[in-house]
Amino acid sequence: MPLFVVRNDITKMHTHAIVNAANETLLGGGGVDGAIHRAAGPELLEECRTLGGCRTGEAKITAGYRLNSRYVIHTVGPVWHGGYFGEERLLASCYRNCLKLAVEHHCETIAFPLISAGAYRYPKDKALRVAMDTITDFLNDNEIMVYLVVYDKDVFQISSRVVSELTSYIDDHYVDAHTNRSLESQRFPRMYSESDCSNRPQSTFRPVHQPVCAEKTIAAPLPGFSTGSLDDVLSTIDESFSEMLLRKIDEKGMKDSQCYKKANIDRKLFSKIRSDKFYKPSKPTVLSFAIALELPLHETKDMLLKAGFALSHSNKFDIIIEYFITRGNYNIHEINEALFAFDQSLLGG
Ligand code: APR
């Protein structure tokens, strides 16, 4: 099951459980702790009083009361003291223990804040990496949908070098589709001119380099498009997206589960794609698989085309993906950090 990184207030999430970044008393505080107690109402504190506190790295569960969630799972993250006092191990155990409790209570969805990344001063980028790695590792063997709720934008400490490189790459490639007329002429093939139409049989197509036909506008055929009957044409239909995906998984020597988990795609969605040769995925889904399979740019474009899409230079999301693929960087965390920094939706998010 996938891990989604979303920007939200955790008290607004509609998941079966939300996680509280508490302190060892479990008697409330500021930050997430304060927000959750305020949203849940006083009954939450009353139940917390019965728990006898919680040790750092461990987790305890209560009802959600007035929250949209059935449960609140309280955990206590480590305070950052420089990283030499077992902070990473303790933080990872927070995520693992919360996930175990959620699965034990049959939760199908859970939302985490970035534990310890606030008052406990854990560096946000390190805290994010521990969260992503621990959750992803747990999802290799368990089925639960996880939302990592990021509250402030500076979580992704994307390097200023990448930001400036990406900014100039986007400036060089970004084309505003509303103002660039020349793009339109590339979108639609040229039509025939009047002088060249009189003696042409109008029922067949002609190569696109012929002049435009004023009164008869017959679109020129796509390159490689046969000019036989419709049955002939349909009998030569290309490999579908689904067929190409399965072929590439085999060529890469990957298992299906390895691929869809690396692509951060839900098992149920993958089985739909696998069972329906003509399944039409979304563009982010195609790109997530292209990243997981580490396809070069031309194969990524080919896979997109089979799903009816193209990389567009009037879409910053596409340009950022193209930037990473052309540099051979398929690290989905780094790609998501860049997408997040440029206010784009995330892969698998
Ligand atoms: N929704 C989602 N995330 C939030 C919210 C919210 N409503 N409020 C804050 N955050 C983010 C912060 O921006 C930070 O990235 O949650 C992360 C954790 O910050 P804290 O709440 O300060 O938690 P933590 O760093 O673990 O410190 C815990 O703070 O509130 C006290 O009682 C708590 O003593 C404990 C300590």
Side-chain angles (χ1 to χ4, degrees):
M1 293 281 263
L3 159 61
F4 296 100
V5 180
V6 295
R7 193 184 291 142
N8 201 347
D9 173 345
I10 200 165
T11 63
K12 304 284 188 288
M13 295 296 288
H14 289 254
T15 46
H16 291 163
I18 62 169
V19 173
N20 179 22
N23 58 58
E24 292 194 341
T25 68
L26 293 188
L27 299 180
V32 168
D33 202 358
I36 287 176
H37 274 275
R38 281 192 298 277
E43 301 89 342
L44 178 62
L45 182 58
E46 281 170 32
E47 185 174 356
C48 284
R49 290 189 198 285
T50 68
L51 298 178
C54 179
R55 290 196 309 177
T56 300
E58 295 184 3
K60 293 193 175 178
I61 193 166
T62 66
Y65 299 104
R66 300 175 198 174
L67 286 162
N68 303 314
S69 302
R70 210 180 289 168
Y71 300 108
V72 177
I73 298 176
H74 307 263
T75 190
V76 181
V79 178
W80 179 257
H81 292 296
Y84 303 102
F85 300 89
E87 293 98 322
E88 182 173 333
R89 176 182 53 77
L90 285 167
L91 184 59
S93 65
C94 284
Y95 287 99
R96 239 187 331 272
N97 287 326
C98 290
L99 287 163
K100 281 178 189 164
L101 266 180
V103 168
E104 285 165 12
H105 287 73
H106 311 295
C107 296
E108 292 175 8
T109 56
I110 182 172
F112 280 98
L114 208 52
I115 301 164
S116 287
Y120 283 2
R121 301 190 316 281
Y122 208 110
K124 292 184 187 292
D125 56 331
K126 289 180 170 54
L128 179 73
R129 192 54 56 96
V130 172
M132 302 279 271
D133 291 349
T134 311
I135 294 167
T136 306
D137 186 52
F138 184 86
L139 291 178
N140 281 332
D141 306 311
N142 296 274
E143 294 291 334
I144 182 170
M145 194 171 281
V146 183
Y147 293 86
L148 187 55
V149 181
V150 172
Y151 198 58
D152 27 33
K153 192 170 168 186
D154 64 357
V155 162
F156 287 106
Q157 310 293 317
I158 178 172
S159 69
S160 50
R161 175 186 60 78
V162 172
V163 171
S164 55
E165 264 189 28
L166 252 175
T167 305
S168 52
Y169 190 85
I170 289 170
D171 290 347
D172 293 347
H173 294 79
Y174 180 65
V175 175
D176 181 344
H178 306 294
T179 57
N180 188 310
R181 291 288 157 240
S182 68
L183 269 183
E184 288 184 3
S185 61
Q186 295 166 27
R187 262 207 299 274
F188 302 106
R190 288 177 49 215
M191 304 300 173
Y192 298 112
S193 69
E194 187 169 332
S195 58
D196 190 63
C197 285
S198 50
N199 57 352
R200 286 206 179 276
Q202 298 309 322
S203 61
T204 58
F205 295 116
R206 283 285 177 276
V208 74
H209 62 272
Q210 291 296 331
V212 176
C213 190
E215 76 281 8
K216 301 264 185 297
T217 54
I218 305 163
L222 291 171
F225 199 85
S226 81
T227 55
S229 71
L230 188 55
D231 285 346
D232 298 345
V233 168
L234 290 176
S235 66
T236 60
I237 200 160
D238 266 352
E239 178 188 44
S240 71
F241 159 76
S242 172
E243 289 169 322
M244 180 179 177
L245 172 64
L246 298 176
R247 173 170 61 83
K248 295 309 289 184
I249 291 174
D250 292 343
E251 285 175 9
K252 299 281 182 179
M254 293 174 87
K255 289 193 292 187
D256 289 354
S257 59
Q258 276 177 310
C259 182
Y260 68 73
K261 285 181 188 280
K262 191 177 171 192
N264 210 18
I265 295 293
D266 184 19
R267 176 178 52 78
K268 291 174 193 153
L269 173 55
F270 181 82
S271 47
K272 271 188 212 163
I273 295 172
R274 183 177 185 87
S275 56
D276 176 359
K277 176 180 170 184
F278 298 110
Y279 184 85
K280 282 287 169 256
S282 72
K283 190 173 186 179
T285 295
V286 177
L287 287 172
S288 295
F289 278 119
I291 297 293
L293 290 163
E294 301 193 0
L295 297 184
L297 190 58
H298 71 280
E299 287 192 315
T300 299
K301 289 180 176 177
D302 187 21
M303 186 174 264
L304 279 168
L305 193 61
K306 293 180 189 306
F309 300 111
L311 279 180
S312 159
H313 280 172
S314 59
N315 181 326
K316 290 186 182 177
F317 179 93
D318 292 14
I319 295 174
I320 292 169
I321 298 293
E322 183 181 303
Y323 169 87
F324 280 91
I325 290 178
T326 48
R327 282 155 181 74
N329 182 344
Y330 294 94
N331 182 313
I332 200 162
H333 297 323
E334 290 181 27
I335 296 172
N336 272 338
E337 286 172 12
L339 290 168
F340 195 94
F342 284 85
D343 291 323
Q344 301 300 309
S345 55
L346 307 185
L347 282 178

